[in-house]
Amino acid sequence: MHIDEIWRHPVKSMIGERVADAWLAEDGMVGDRSWAVRDEVRGALAGAKKLGGLMRFAAAFDDGPESSVTITLPDGTTVGAADPDAPARVSAALGHDVTLWPRRPPTDLDHYRRGAPDSDDLIEELRAIFGREGDEPLPDLSVFPPEIFEYESPLGTYLDAFPILIMSTAALRSMAEVVPESVVDVRRFRPNLVVDTGDVSGHPEQEWIGHVLQVGDAELEVVVGCPRCVMVTREIDDATPADRSLLRHIVRDLEQVVGVYATVRRPGMVRLDDPVLLSSADAATSSSTEGGDSL
């Protein structure tokens, strides 16, 4: 099997851009989540878990990840992320007072520190973030790095938890078949890599946990399934409206996870159509030279 799509998201929680190749560094895809929105009401970084309207915005680099970022507002107009008027224009379109920030160094603890919750009831706060109804379980939070309970993201990054998020074409196809009334748009799920798994059904990537993927020049260790939150329910555009039924399926039938998180064991370039090889974590070093099982 092979890489079917590569997604880079220049601004956290805004719709990203499909690209032909990308460099995977130890802290994630170069250029991915380079910028984030700061909620000036709460006084903290925020994504679409809190400010759902962010997923009606899109962001793309003008000419690769070292260039400027252009944000497309919901009405189709554009503004540069670094432009002086960008905070005012994004705030007006979002209906909420925000500013825009490039990544800050990990030593800037106040920048990354979590803001005040919307509710004094921790369970109510978590149910809102994860979009859980009263009789639905919350995900196992122990799978996340401990620092994100104090900070909005791993320090020095705007990632949710881990560097790379991977999905399969089988997972997208399976959800569309089971919940035909929903718009199963890959943009709802915000993966970095989509792997074409051919005619395999279901969610085969869950079987990759604990294994290593050889993708292009990079080596990725798959560490845990991705617990899904309220973001998969958000409106993106008129063709992809708000929809809570998809999340109900994920919670009820998929043990709350879709896609898998991975860390980068060996940085390298990945390209569309690169083959994807699977090996055990213990065999990662030898598989990089001897090859693995093609997915």
Side-chain angles (χ1 to χ4, degrees), residues 26-218:
E26 289 186 358
D27 61 351
M29 181 181 291
V30 172
D32 192 53
R33 279 84 170 179
S34 293
W35 287 75
V37 166
R38 182 176 177 86
D39 181 344
E40 295 300 338
V41 177
R42 290 178 60 243
L45 297 170
K49 295 180 182 67
K50 293 283 188 179
L51 302 176
L54 285 174
M55 287 186 68
R56 299 181 63 244
F57 294 71
F61 288 103
D62 294 339
D63 186 24
E66 303 302 323
S67 66
S68 301
V69 172
T70 294
I71 296 171
T72 301
L73 308 181
D75 65 0
T77 60
T78 61
V79 64
D83 290 356
D85 63 338
R89 292 185 60 189
V90 172
S91 295
L94 188 61
H96 196 92
D97 186 17
V98 298
T99 51
L100 293 157
W101 290 81
R103 278 191 186 187
R104 299 285 298 156
T107 53
D108 191 350
L109 301 184
D110 287 341
H111 177 71
Y112 292 101
R113 202 175 306 279
R114 284 197 172 274
D118 293 330
S119 171
D120 293 333
D121 184 327
L122 176 60
I123 299 302
E124 181 180 337
E125 175 79 359
L126 291 173
R127 288 196 177 281
I129 290 172
F130 286 99
R132 299 300 188 263
E133 296 184 347
D135 61 344
E136 293 178 334
L138 288 166
D140 178 6
L141 301 181
S142 69
V143 303
F144 295 115
E147 66 184 314
I148 69 168
F149 295 99
E150 183 177 356
Y151 303 102
E152 293 286 349
S153 59
L155 294 173
T157 80
Y158 292 143
L159 303 169
D160 277 350
F162 297 95
I164 301 295
L165 180 58
I166 306 170
M167 288 185 67
S168 68
T169 54
L172 292 163
R173 185 172 59 248
S174 175
M175 288 185 288
E177 291 170 353
V178 175
V179 194
E181 67 275 13
S182 293
V183 179
V184 180
D185 190 313
V186 66
R187 296 176 299 170
R188 290 193 188 277
F189 300 93
R190 306 181 63 73
N192 298 114
L193 305 176
V194 179
V195 177
D196 188 329
T197 47
D199 295 333
V200 172
S201 61
H203 295 257
E205 60 267 46
Q206 300 306 319
E207 299 176 5
W208 305 343
I209 296 171
H211 293 266
V212 168
L213 297 179
Q214 310 289 332
V215 185
D217 302 326

